[in-house]
Amino acid sequence: MKSAVETLNPTRVRLSIEVPFEELKDSLDAAYKKINQQVTVKGFRKGKIPARVIDQRFGRGAVLEEAVNDALPKFYTEAVNEAELNVLGQPEVDITELKDGETLNFTAEVDVRPEIEIPDYSGIEVEVDAIEVSDEDVDKSVEQLRERFASTSPVERAAEDGDVVTIDLEAKVDGEVLEDGVASGVSYTIGSGELLEGIDDAVKGLEAGGEATFTSELKGGSAEGKEAEVTVKVTQVAARELPSLDDEFAQLASEFDTLDELKADSRKRLENMKQYDQATQAQERVLEKLLELVEVPVPEKLLEDEVKTRKHNLEHHQLGQMGLDLEKYLEIQGKTVEEFDAETAEQAVKGIKTQFVLDELVNKEKLNVNQEELTEHLMRRAQSSGMSPDQFAQAVVEGGQVPMLVGEVARGKALAVVVEAATVKDTNGEIVDLEDDEDESAAAGETVEADASAEAEDKNEA
Protein backbone atom coordinates (compact mmCIF):
# COMPACT_ATOMS: atom_id res chain seq x y z
CA MET A 1 0.00 0.00 0.00
CA LYS A 2 1.20 3.51 -0.81
CA SER A 3 -0.29 6.72 0.53
CA ALA A 4 0.24 10.47 0.21
CA VAL A 5 -1.13 13.38 2.25
CA GLU A 6 -2.31 16.69 0.79
CA THR A 7 -3.06 19.56 3.21
CA LEU A 8 -6.26 21.27 2.08
CA ASN A 9 -6.29 23.82 4.90
CA PRO A 10 -4.96 23.99 8.49
CA THR A 11 -7.70 21.62 9.70
CA ARG A 12 -8.35 19.28 6.76
CA VAL A 13 -6.27 16.85 4.68
CA ARG A 14 -6.81 14.51 1.74
CA LEU A 15 -5.22 11.05 1.80
CA SER A 16 -4.57 9.39 -1.57
CA ILE A 17 -4.15 5.65 -1.12
CA GLU A 18 -3.07 2.98 -3.66
CA VAL A 19 -3.63 -0.67 -2.77
CA PRO A 20 -2.11 -3.49 -4.91
CA PHE A 21 -4.75 -6.10 -5.65
CA GLU A 22 -2.86 -8.87 -3.86
CA GLU A 23 -3.34 -6.98 -0.60
CA LEU A 24 -7.11 -7.42 -1.01
CA LYS A 25 -6.83 -11.22 -0.84
CA ASP A 26 -7.95 -11.55 2.79
CA SER A 27 -10.93 -9.27 2.18
CA LEU A 28 -11.88 -11.16 -1.01
CA ASP A 29 -11.74 -14.48 0.86
CA ALA A 30 -13.93 -13.00 3.59
CA ALA A 31 -16.38 -11.69 0.98
CA TYR A 32 -16.76 -15.11 -0.67
CA LYS A 33 -17.22 -16.73 2.73
CA LYS A 34 -19.89 -14.21 3.74
CA ILE A 35 -21.81 -14.58 0.47
CA ASN A 36 -21.53 -18.37 0.80
CA GLN A 37 -23.38 -18.21 4.10
CA GLN A 38 -26.13 -15.99 2.69
CA VAL A 39 -27.10 -17.68 -0.61
CA THR A 40 -28.23 -21.11 -1.83
CA VAL A 41 -27.27 -22.71 -5.17
CA LYS A 42 -28.85 -25.99 -6.26
CA GLY A 43 -26.31 -28.81 -6.36
CA PHE A 44 -24.01 -27.27 -3.74
CA ARG A 45 -24.10 -27.53 0.03
CA LYS A 46 -24.55 -24.26 1.90
CA GLY A 47 -21.14 -22.70 2.48
CA LYS A 48 -19.45 -24.89 -0.14
CA ILE A 49 -20.23 -22.91 -3.30
CA PRO A 50 -17.06 -22.39 -5.40
CA ALA A 51 -15.92 -18.82 -6.05
CA ARG A 52 -16.35 -19.17 -9.82
CA VAL A 53 -20.00 -20.20 -9.33
CA ILE A 54 -20.64 -17.19 -7.09
CA ASP A 55 -19.06 -14.95 -9.75
CA GLN A 56 -21.29 -16.50 -12.44
CA ARG A 57 -24.52 -16.44 -10.46
CA PHE A 58 -24.20 -13.21 -8.48
CA GLY A 59 -21.53 -11.26 -10.35
CA ARG A 60 -17.93 -10.52 -9.56
CA GLY A 61 -18.95 -6.91 -8.88
CA ALA A 62 -20.92 -7.92 -5.78
CA VAL A 63 -17.89 -9.73 -4.40
CA LEU A 64 -15.58 -6.80 -5.10
CA GLU A 65 -17.98 -4.38 -3.44
CA GLU A 66 -18.15 -6.54 -0.31
CA ALA A 67 -14.35 -6.93 -0.24
CA VAL A 68 -13.66 -3.22 -0.71
CA ASN A 69 -16.14 -2.24 2.03
CA ASP A 70 -14.33 -4.63 4.34
CA ALA A 71 -10.83 -3.43 3.37
CA LEU A 72 -11.26 0.35 3.26
CA PRO A 73 -11.26 1.00 7.05
CA LYS A 74 -8.08 -1.07 7.50
CA PHE A 75 -6.13 0.69 4.72
CA TYR A 76 -7.42 4.09 5.82
CA THR A 77 -6.25 3.46 9.39
CA GLU A 78 -2.85 2.30 8.17
CA ALA A 79 -2.46 5.48 6.10
CA VAL A 80 -3.48 7.68 9.04
CA ASN A 81 -0.99 5.96 11.35
CA GLU A 82 1.76 6.09 8.74
CA ALA A 83 1.29 9.84 8.32
CA GLU A 84 0.93 10.31 12.10
CA LEU A 85 -2.29 12.30 11.66
CA ASN A 86 -4.51 13.32 14.58
CA VAL A 87 -7.86 12.93 12.85
CA LEU A 88 -11.26 14.24 13.97
CA GLY A 89 -14.50 12.50 13.06
CA GLN A 90 -15.21 10.23 10.11
CA PRO A 91 -13.56 10.59 6.67
CA GLU A 92 -15.30 11.27 3.36
CA VAL A 93 -14.12 8.39 1.14
CA ASP A 94 -14.14 8.35 -2.67
CA ILE A 95 -13.05 5.30 -4.69
CA THR A 96 -11.20 6.76 -7.68
CA GLU A 97 -10.18 3.51 -9.38
CA LEU A 98 -10.92 -0.19 -8.97
CA LYS A 99 -9.38 -2.56 -11.50
CA ASP A 100 -10.09 -6.23 -10.88
CA GLY A 101 -6.81 -8.05 -10.44
CA GLU A 102 -4.75 -4.87 -10.59
CA THR A 103 -5.33 -2.08 -8.07
CA LEU A 104 -7.65 -0.18 -5.73
CA ASN A 105 -7.20 3.58 -5.49
CA PHE A 106 -9.21 5.80 -3.18
CA THR A 107 -9.08 9.17 -1.43
CA ALA A 108 -10.18 10.08 2.08
CA GLU A 109 -10.79 13.66 3.22
CA VAL A 110 -10.86 14.14 6.98
CA ASP A 111 -10.56 16.91 9.57
CA VAL A 112 -7.40 16.97 11.66
CA ARG A 113 -6.35 18.77 14.79
CA PRO A 114 -4.60 22.00 13.84
CA GLU A 115 -1.01 22.54 14.90
CA ILE A 116 -1.05 25.04 17.76
CA GLU A 117 1.83 27.11 19.05
CA ILE A 118 1.44 27.91 22.75
CA PRO A 119 3.00 31.34 23.45
CA ASP A 120 4.50 32.55 26.71
CA TYR A 121 1.53 32.92 29.03
CA SER A 122 3.39 34.06 32.16
CA GLY A 123 2.43 37.68 31.53
CA ILE A 124 -1.32 37.10 31.81
CA GLU A 125 -2.98 39.39 34.37
CA VAL A 126 -6.62 39.25 35.51
CA GLU A 127 -8.78 40.87 38.16
CA VAL A 128 -11.31 39.02 40.32
CA ASP A 129 -13.79 39.98 43.01
CA ALA A 130 -12.38 40.45 46.50
CA ILE A 131 -13.50 38.09 49.26
CA GLU A 132 -15.59 40.33 51.47
CA VAL A 133 -18.27 39.13 53.86
CA SER A 134 -20.18 41.91 55.60
CA ASP A 135 -22.17 41.76 58.83
CA GLU A 136 -25.26 42.18 56.67
CA ASP A 137 -24.31 39.06 54.69
CA VAL A 138 -23.99 37.08 57.92
CA ASP A 139 -27.28 38.43 59.28
CA LYS A 140 -29.03 37.49 56.04
CA SER A 141 -27.63 33.94 56.20
CA VAL A 142 -28.75 33.50 59.81
CA GLU A 143 -32.15 34.98 58.96
CA GLN A 144 -32.61 32.41 56.19
CA LEU A 145 -31.84 29.67 58.69
CA ARG A 146 -34.31 31.25 61.10
CA GLU A 147 -36.99 31.20 58.40
CA ARG A 148 -36.56 27.42 58.09
CA PHE A 149 -37.47 27.02 61.78
CA ALA A 150 -40.54 29.26 61.65
CA SER A 151 -43.81 27.88 63.00
CA THR A 152 -47.37 28.76 62.02
CA SER A 153 -50.56 29.12 64.00
CA PRO A 154 -54.12 29.86 62.77
CA VAL A 155 -55.39 33.40 63.37
CA GLU A 156 -58.84 34.96 63.10
CA ARG A 157 -58.02 38.07 61.10
CA ALA A 158 -57.47 39.25 57.55
CA ALA A 159 -54.46 37.83 55.71
CA GLU A 160 -51.27 39.93 55.61
CA ASP A 161 -47.87 39.77 53.94
CA GLY A 162 -45.89 36.81 55.24
CA ASP A 163 -48.97 34.86 56.38
CA VAL A 164 -49.49 31.27 55.28
CA VAL A 165 -52.95 30.82 53.77
CA THR A 166 -54.72 27.63 52.82
CA ILE A 167 -56.66 28.21 49.60
CA ASP A 168 -58.87 26.59 46.99
CA LEU A 169 -58.37 27.61 43.34
CA GLU A 170 -60.54 27.46 40.23
CA ALA A 171 -59.33 28.66 36.81
CA LYS A 172 -61.58 29.47 33.82
CA VAL A 173 -60.58 30.19 30.24
CA ASP A 174 -63.28 31.65 27.97
CA GLY A 175 -65.81 31.00 30.74
CA GLU A 176 -65.06 27.26 30.94
CA VAL A 177 -63.52 25.65 34.04
CA LEU A 178 -60.34 23.82 33.04
CA GLU A 179 -60.12 20.11 33.85
CA ASP A 180 -56.73 20.68 35.43
CA GLY A 181 -57.66 24.13 36.73
CA VAL A 182 -59.10 23.14 40.12
CA ALA A 183 -57.05 22.67 43.29
CA SER A 184 -57.99 22.41 46.96
CA GLY A 185 -56.08 22.79 50.20
CA VAL A 186 -53.10 24.58 48.65
CA SER A 187 -50.69 26.11 51.18
CA TYR A 188 -49.25 29.45 50.08
CA THR A 189 -47.04 32.03 51.77
CA ILE A 190 -48.16 35.53 50.78
CA GLY A 191 -45.32 37.38 49.07
CA SER A 192 -43.33 34.29 48.11
CA GLY A 193 -44.19 34.64 44.40
CA GLU A 194 -44.51 30.87 44.08
CA LEU A 195 -47.99 30.80 42.52
CA LEU A 196 -49.84 32.94 40.00
CA GLU A 197 -49.15 36.59 39.36
CA GLY A 198 -51.81 38.69 41.08
CA ILE A 199 -52.65 36.18 43.80
CA ASP A 200 -50.95 38.20 46.56
CA ASP A 201 -53.18 41.23 46.00
CA ALA A 202 -56.23 38.96 45.74
CA VAL A 203 -55.79 37.16 49.08
CA LYS A 204 -54.44 40.03 51.19
CA GLY A 205 -57.25 41.42 53.30
CA LEU A 206 -59.34 38.22 53.10
CA GLU A 207 -60.32 36.29 56.22
CA ALA A 208 -61.05 32.55 56.33
CA GLY A 209 -64.13 31.96 54.14
CA GLY A 210 -63.44 35.00 51.94
CA GLU A 211 -62.88 34.74 48.20
CA ALA A 212 -61.76 36.92 45.30
CA THR A 213 -61.38 36.72 41.52
CA PHE A 214 -58.43 37.95 39.48
CA THR A 215 -56.94 37.52 36.02
CA SER A 216 -53.56 35.90 35.47
CA GLU A 217 -51.50 34.14 32.78
CA LEU A 218 -51.27 30.41 33.52
CA LYS A 219 -47.72 29.12 34.02
CA GLY A 220 -48.44 25.48 33.23
CA GLY A 221 -51.06 22.87 32.45
CA SER A 222 -53.31 22.42 29.44
CA ALA A 223 -53.85 26.18 28.98
CA GLU A 224 -50.30 27.31 29.65
CA GLY A 225 -49.66 30.87 28.54
CA LYS A 226 -53.35 31.78 28.31
CA GLU A 227 -55.14 34.43 30.35
CA ALA A 228 -57.44 32.85 32.92
CA GLU A 229 -60.06 34.09 35.34
CA VAL A 230 -59.00 32.63 38.68
CA THR A 231 -61.24 32.39 41.74
CA VAL A 232 -59.41 31.95 45.04
CA LYS A 233 -61.10 31.05 48.34
CA VAL A 234 -59.25 31.33 51.63
CA THR A 235 -60.05 28.48 54.04
CA GLN A 236 -57.46 29.33 56.71
CA VAL A 237 -55.11 32.16 57.64
CA ALA A 238 -52.02 31.28 59.70
CA ALA A 239 -49.40 33.65 61.08
CA ARG A 240 -45.71 32.70 60.83
CA GLU A 241 -43.77 32.96 64.06
CA LEU A 242 -39.98 33.17 63.91
CA PRO A 243 -37.85 31.84 66.78
CA SER A 244 -35.97 34.45 68.84
CA LEU A 245 -32.37 35.09 67.79
CA ASP A 246 -30.59 33.82 70.89
CA ASP A 247 -28.40 31.00 72.13
CA GLU A 248 -31.43 28.72 72.40
CA PHE A 249 -32.06 29.16 68.67
CA ALA A 250 -28.40 28.39 67.90
CA GLN A 251 -28.72 25.13 69.85
CA LEU A 252 -31.97 24.30 68.03
CA ALA A 253 -30.72 25.04 64.52
CA SER A 254 -27.07 23.95 64.71
CA GLU A 255 -24.38 22.09 66.64
CA PHE A 256 -23.29 25.34 68.32
CA ASP A 257 -24.08 26.46 71.86
CA THR A 258 -24.20 30.20 71.27
CA LEU A 259 -25.52 32.60 68.66
CA ASP A 260 -22.05 34.13 68.29
CA GLU A 261 -20.59 30.72 67.39
CA LEU A 262 -23.37 30.20 64.85
CA LYS A 263 -22.67 33.59 63.26
CA ALA A 264 -18.93 32.89 63.15
CA ASP A 265 -19.60 29.61 61.36
CA SER A 266 -21.94 31.35 58.91
CA ARG A 267 -19.22 33.91 58.14
CA LYS A 268 -16.69 31.13 57.53
CA ARG A 269 -19.09 29.29 55.20
CA LEU A 270 -19.76 32.47 53.23
CA GLU A 271 -16.01 33.12 52.94
CA ASN A 272 -15.46 29.58 51.63
CA MET A 273 -18.21 30.03 49.04
CA LYS A 274 -16.72 33.33 47.89
CA GLN A 275 -13.27 31.75 47.79
CA TYR A 276 -14.57 29.04 45.47
CA ASP A 277 -16.33 31.65 43.33
CA GLN A 278 -13.10 33.66 43.22
CA ALA A 279 -11.11 30.61 42.06
CA THR A 280 -13.68 29.87 39.37
CA GLN A 281 -13.65 33.50 38.25
CA ALA A 282 -9.85 33.46 38.04
CA GLN A 283 -9.89 30.27 35.96
CA GLU A 284 -12.50 31.68 33.56
CA ARG A 285 -10.71 34.99 33.06
CA VAL A 286 -7.28 33.44 32.65
CA LEU A 287 -8.72 31.03 30.09
CA GLU A 288 -10.22 33.94 28.14
CA LYS A 289 -6.85 35.73 28.11
CA LEU A 290 -5.06 32.55 27.03
CA LEU A 291 -7.45 31.99 24.12
CA GLU A 292 -6.84 35.58 22.99
CA LEU A 293 -3.10 34.81 22.74
CA VAL A 294 -3.44 31.67 20.60
CA GLU A 295 -4.48 31.42 16.95
CA VAL A 296 -6.75 28.36 16.73
CA PRO A 297 -8.36 27.41 13.40
CA VAL A 298 -11.64 25.52 13.92
CA PRO A 299 -12.66 22.67 11.57
CA GLU A 300 -15.94 23.56 9.86
CA LYS A 301 -17.46 20.07 10.10
CA LEU A 302 -16.52 19.76 13.76
CA LEU A 303 -18.09 23.16 14.50
CA GLU A 304 -21.24 22.22 12.60
CA ASP A 305 -21.58 18.98 14.57
CA GLU A 306 -20.87 20.72 17.86
CA VAL A 307 -23.58 23.33 17.24
CA LYS A 308 -26.07 20.56 16.37
CA THR A 309 -25.16 18.67 19.55
CA ARG A 310 -25.58 21.72 21.76
CA LYS A 311 -28.97 22.58 20.25
CA HIS A 312 -30.13 18.95 20.51
CA ASN A 313 -29.11 18.72 24.18
CA LEU A 314 -30.88 21.99 24.98
CA GLU A 315 -34.11 21.12 23.15
CA HIS A 316 -34.43 17.43 24.05
CA HIS A 317 -32.89 17.30 27.51
CA GLN A 318 -32.67 20.58 29.40
CA LEU A 319 -35.83 22.27 28.05
CA GLY A 320 -37.74 18.99 28.02
CA GLN A 321 -37.20 18.62 31.76
CA MET A 322 -38.51 22.17 32.24
CA GLY A 323 -41.59 21.55 30.12
CA LEU A 324 -40.49 24.11 27.51
CA ASP A 325 -39.85 24.04 23.79
CA LEU A 326 -37.27 26.16 21.98
CA GLU A 327 -39.82 28.74 20.85
CA LYS A 328 -41.07 29.34 24.40
CA TYR A 329 -37.51 29.40 25.73
CA LEU A 330 -36.46 32.08 23.25
CA GLU A 331 -39.55 34.10 24.12
CA ILE A 332 -38.63 33.99 27.82
CA GLN A 333 -35.02 34.89 27.03
CA GLY A 334 -36.09 37.70 24.71
CA LYS A 335 -33.95 36.38 21.85
CA THR A 336 -34.55 35.78 18.15
CA VAL A 337 -33.65 32.50 16.45
CA GLU A 338 -30.78 34.30 14.71
CA GLU A 339 -29.41 35.62 18.01
CA PHE A 340 -29.69 32.17 19.57
CA ASP A 341 -27.89 30.51 16.64
CA ALA A 342 -25.09 33.10 16.75
CA GLU A 343 -24.70 32.69 20.51
CA THR A 344 -24.64 28.88 20.23
CA ALA A 345 -22.00 29.02 17.48
CA GLU A 346 -19.88 31.39 19.58
CA GLN A 347 -20.07 29.04 22.57
CA ALA A 348 -19.21 26.05 20.37
CA VAL A 349 -16.17 27.81 18.92
CA LYS A 350 -14.95 28.67 22.43
CA GLY A 351 -15.46 25.07 23.57
CA ILE A 352 -13.49 23.62 20.66
CA LYS A 353 -10.68 26.16 20.98
CA THR A 354 -10.49 25.53 24.71
CA GLN A 355 -10.08 21.82 24.21
CA PHE A 356 -7.47 22.17 21.47
CA VAL A 357 -5.37 24.65 23.46
CA LEU A 358 -5.54 22.81 26.78
CA ASP A 359 -4.83 19.45 25.12
CA GLU A 360 -1.71 21.00 23.57
CA LEU A 361 -0.73 22.26 27.02
CA VAL A 362 -1.21 18.78 28.47
CA ASN A 363 1.26 17.44 25.90
CA LYS A 364 3.68 20.34 26.29
CA GLU A 365 3.74 20.12 30.09
CA LYS A 366 3.65 16.28 30.03
CA LEU A 367 0.72 16.19 32.48
CA ASN A 368 -0.70 12.85 33.63
CA VAL A 369 -3.85 11.88 35.54
CA ASN A 370 -3.57 9.44 38.43
CA GLN A 371 -6.32 7.25 39.83
CA GLU A 372 -6.88 9.45 42.88
CA GLU A 373 -7.42 12.55 40.73
CA LEU A 374 -9.81 10.68 38.43
CA THR A 375 -11.78 9.33 41.40
CA GLU A 376 -12.10 12.80 42.97
CA HIS A 377 -13.31 14.24 39.67
CA LEU A 378 -15.79 11.39 39.26
CA MET A 379 -17.18 12.08 42.74
CA ARG A 380 -17.67 15.77 41.90
CA ARG A 381 -19.34 14.98 38.59
CA ALA A 382 -21.61 12.43 40.26
CA GLN A 383 -22.68 14.98 42.88
CA SER A 384 -23.48 17.62 40.25
CA SER A 385 -25.47 15.09 38.20
CA GLY A 386 -27.60 14.02 41.17
CA MET A 387 -26.41 10.40 40.90
CA SER A 388 -24.57 8.27 43.43
CA PRO A 389 -20.84 7.77 42.70
CA ASP A 390 -21.46 4.07 41.94
CA GLN A 391 -24.31 4.84 39.54
CA PHE A 392 -22.32 7.57 37.79
CA ALA A 393 -19.21 5.38 37.51
CA GLN A 394 -21.26 2.55 36.02
CA ALA A 395 -22.85 4.90 33.48
CA VAL A 396 -19.43 6.30 32.55
CA VAL A 397 -17.91 2.85 32.02
CA GLU A 398 -20.91 1.49 30.09
CA GLY A 399 -20.96 4.58 27.88
CA GLY A 400 -17.23 4.38 27.18
CA GLN A 401 -16.78 7.85 28.69
CA VAL A 402 -13.72 7.18 30.86
CA PRO A 403 -11.37 8.86 28.33
CA MET A 404 -13.64 11.90 28.42
CA LEU A 405 -13.29 12.20 32.21
CA VAL A 406 -9.53 11.69 32.02
CA GLY A 407 -9.39 14.46 29.42
CA GLU A 408 -11.40 16.82 31.64
CA VAL A 409 -9.05 16.27 34.59
CA ALA A 410 -5.93 16.66 32.43
CA ARG A 411 -7.20 19.88 30.86
CA GLY A 412 -8.18 21.16 34.31
CA LYS A 413 -4.59 20.58 35.42
CA ALA A 414 -3.28 22.33 32.32
CA LEU A 415 -5.44 25.37 33.03
CA ALA A 416 -4.24 25.36 36.65
CA VAL A 417 -0.65 25.56 35.37
CA VAL A 418 -1.51 28.69 33.40
CA VAL A 419 -3.35 30.25 36.34
CA GLU A 420 -0.38 29.58 38.60
CA ALA A 421 1.87 31.43 36.16
CA ALA A 422 -0.58 34.35 35.81
CA THR A 423 -0.94 37.40 38.05
CA VAL A 424 -4.34 37.41 39.76
CA LYS A 425 -5.40 40.50 41.71
CA ASP A 426 -8.67 41.26 43.47
CA THR A 427 -10.64 44.46 43.15
CA ASN A 428 -8.74 45.85 46.14
CA GLY A 429 -5.48 45.48 44.23
CA GLU A 430 -4.30 42.60 46.43
CA ILE A 431 -2.49 39.61 44.90
CA VAL A 432 -4.68 36.49 45.13
CA ASP A 433 -2.82 33.30 46.04
CA LEU A 434 -5.03 30.49 44.77
CA GLU A 435 -2.57 27.97 46.24
CA ASP A 436 -4.14 28.73 49.63
CA ASP A 437 -6.88 26.26 48.70
CA GLU A 438 -5.59 23.86 46.08
CA ASP A 439 -8.58 21.54 46.27
CA GLU A 440 -11.12 24.27 45.51
CA SER A 441 -8.87 25.73 42.80
CA ALA A 442 -8.49 22.33 41.12
CA ALA A 443 -12.22 21.67 41.31
CA ALA A 444 -12.93 25.09 39.81
CA GLY A 445 -10.47 24.43 36.99
CA GLU A 446 -12.08 21.14 36.07
CA THR A 447 -15.54 22.73 36.21
CA VAL A 448 -14.54 25.63 33.96
CA GLU A 449 -12.89 23.30 31.46
CA ALA A 450 -15.77 20.83 31.47
CA ASP A 451 -18.34 23.58 30.94
CA ALA A 452 -16.36 25.07 28.06
CA SER A 453 -15.43 21.98 26.11
CA ALA A 454 -16.83 18.65 27.30
CA GLU A 455 -19.46 18.47 24.58
CA ALA A 456 -16.78 18.45 21.89
CA GLU A 457 -15.05 15.42 23.42
CA ASP A 458 -16.92 12.62 21.68
CA LYS A 459 -16.22 14.04 18.23
CA ASN A 460 -12.54 14.59 18.94
CA GLU A 461 -12.15 11.04 20.20
CA ALA A 462 -13.77 9.64 17.03
Side-chain angles (χ1 to χ4, degrees):
M1 183 198 79
K2 294 192 302 183
S3 64
V5 180
E6 176 188 357
T7 300
L8 303 177
N9 61 50
T11 63
R12 194 165 181 83
V13 299
R14 178 188 291 123
L15 288 161
S16 297
I17 302 166
E18 298 180 15
V19 183
F21 208 79
E22 57 265 22
E23 293 187 32
L24 287 172
K25 183 179 183 306
D26 289 345
S27 293
L28 279 169
D29 291 343
Y32 279 118
K33 185 175 181 180
K34 182 176 180 180
I35 294 173
N36 241 309
Q37 299 300 322
Q38 295 175 338
V39 300
T40 301
V41 176
K42 189 175 181 180
F44 296 95
R45 285 183 296 166
K46 195 173 186 65
K48 300 294 184 180
I49 307 170
R52 60 179 176 77
V53 175
I54 290 177
D55 289 346
Q56 291 169 357
R57 291 293 186 92
F58 305 101
R60 174 72 167 175
V63 179
L64 289 174
E65 182 180 357
E66 182 67 38
V68 169
N69 287 340
D70 175 74
L72 282 179
K74 180 183 71 172
F75 292 121
Y76 165 74
T77 301
E78 287 181 11
V80 167
N81 293 337
E82 185 179 287
E84 298 182 342
L85 297 175
N86 197 338
V87 299
L88 304 168
Q90 298 301 313
E92 294 180 4
V93 176
D94 181 28
I95 298 173
T96 56
E97 186 175 30
L98 176 58
K99 289 185 178 180
D100 194 359
E102 296 183 28
T103 185
L104 163 66
N105 296 335
F106 69 95
T107 62
E109 287 191 17
V110 66
D111 286 334
V112 294
R113 277 181 180 262
E115 293 185 5
I116 298 173
E117 188 69 32
I118 302 295
D120 178 17
Y121 46 78
S122 60
I124 290 178
E125 295 186 10
V126 298
E127 184 180 75
V128 296
D129 294 336
I131 297 176
E132 296 175 345
V133 177
S134 66
D135 292 342
E136 289 75 12
D137 293 332
V138 175
D139 290 343
K140 183 178 179 181
S141 176
V142 173
E143 188 64 24
Q144 289 172 343
L145 181 62
R146 188 182 177 210
E147 290 277 351
R148 288 167 51 189
F149 285 85
S151 60
T152 59
S153 57
V155 292
E156 294 184 3
R157 60 165 173 76
E160 302 172 355
D161 265 327
D163 286 343
V164 179
V165 290
T166 304
I167 54 177
D168 298 336
L169 294 166
E170 181 184 82
K172 294 180 181 179
V173 173
D174 298 329
E176 298 290 332
V177 178
L178 299 171
E179 289 186 12
D180 55 354
V182 178
S184 300
V186 177
S187 180
Y188 175 66
T189 301
I190 299 175
S192 66
E194 294 174 352
L195 279 179
L196 299 169
E197 186 176 344
I199 194 169
D200 289 340
D201 291 336
V203 297
K204 278 191 294 188
L206 294 181
E207 298 183 14
E211 67 177 55
T213 300
F214 63 100
T215 301
S216 182
E217 181 180 314
L218 298 178
K219 295 182 179 180
S222 61
E224 179 183 2
K226 293 185 177 180
E227 289 287 327
E229 183 183 85
V230 182
T231 299
V232 55
K233 181 178 181 180
V234 176
T235 60
Q236 179 181 276
V237 178
R240 298 176 76 250
E241 298 176 1
L242 297 174
S244 299
L245 275 178
D246 51 24
D247 292 347
E248 187 176 337
F249 166 70
Q251 295 164 19
L252 169 69
S254 70
E255 69 271 29
F256 302 106
D257 293 327
T258 68
L259 183 61
D260 287 342
E261 290 174 334
L262 173 60
K263 287 186 175 183
D265 180 71
S266 295
R267 183 179 295 276
K268 182 61 177 176
R269 288 175 184 272
L270 290 171
E271 287 174 349
N272 288 341
M273 289 171 58
K274 287 180 177 288
Q275 191 170 35
Y276 179 85
D277 291 342
Q278 188 185 66
T280 302
Q281 196 176 66
Q283 299 273 3
E284 290 173 342
R285 293 182 179 178
V286 167
L287 176 60
E288 289 174 1
K289 291 281 189 179
L290 177 63
L291 293 180
E292 290 174 4
L293 294 176
V294 188
E295 186 68 33
V296 186
V298 176
E300 290 183 10
K301 183 67 167 59
L302 181 65
L303 176 58
E304 180 184 327
D305 291 343
E306 177 69 3
V307 169
K308 286 180 180 177
T309 297
R310 287 173 179 259
K311 291 179 72 172
H312 177 84
N313 288 341
L314 176 66
E315 289 188 65
H316 299 280
H317 297 294
Q318 300 170 41
L319 296 184
Q321 294 175 356
M322 298 163 60
L324 298 174
D325 58 18
L326 183 59
E327 183 179 354
K328 186 66 176 178
Y329 169 76
L330 293 180
E331 181 183 330
I332 294 172
Q333 294 291 314
K335 296 177 183 175
T336 65
V337 173
E338 291 75 21
E339 290 172 336
F340 169 74
D341 287 344
E343 186 178 281
T344 303
E346 182 180 347
Q347 293 168 349
V349 167
K350 181 181 179 182
I352 293 170
K353 286 185 175 181
T354 296
Q355 185 166 327
F356 285 171
V357 171
L358 295 184
D359 281 346
E360 186 63 30
L361 268 168
V362 169
N363 295 330
K364 180 180 179 180
E365 302 292 343
K366 296 181 173 55
L367 301 175
N368 295 309
V369 176
N370 61 41
Q371 186 60 49
E372 183 180 355
E373 291 168 334
L374 182 59
T375 300
E376 289 176 357
H377 182 61
L378 187 148
M379 298 281 281
R380 284 192 285 266
R381 287 290 302 272
Q383 185 177 17
S384 65
S385 69
M387 300 170 68
S388 72
D390 288 343
Q391 288 174 324
F392 187 79
Q394 182 178 353
V396 166
V397 172
E398 290 178 353
Q401 299 297 304
V402 173
M404 183 189 76
L405 289 189
V406 172
E408 288 177 3
V409 178
R411 288 189 285 273
K413 293 177 70 173
L415 182 53
V417 168
V418 183
V419 173
E420 185 178 353
T423 300
V424 181
K425 294 182 179 180
D426 66 20
T427 49
N428 293 329
E430 299 292 329
I431 296 290
V432 177
D433 184 5
L434 296 174
E435 294 300 313
D436 287 345
D437 197 332
E438 293 184 1
D439 289 341
E440 291 201 356
S441 181
E446 291 166 15
T447 300
V448 168
E449 188 287 318
D451 288 345
S453 64
E455 292 176 358
E457 178 70 23
D458 292 341
K459 302 176 189 65
N460 293 345
E461 293 292 335

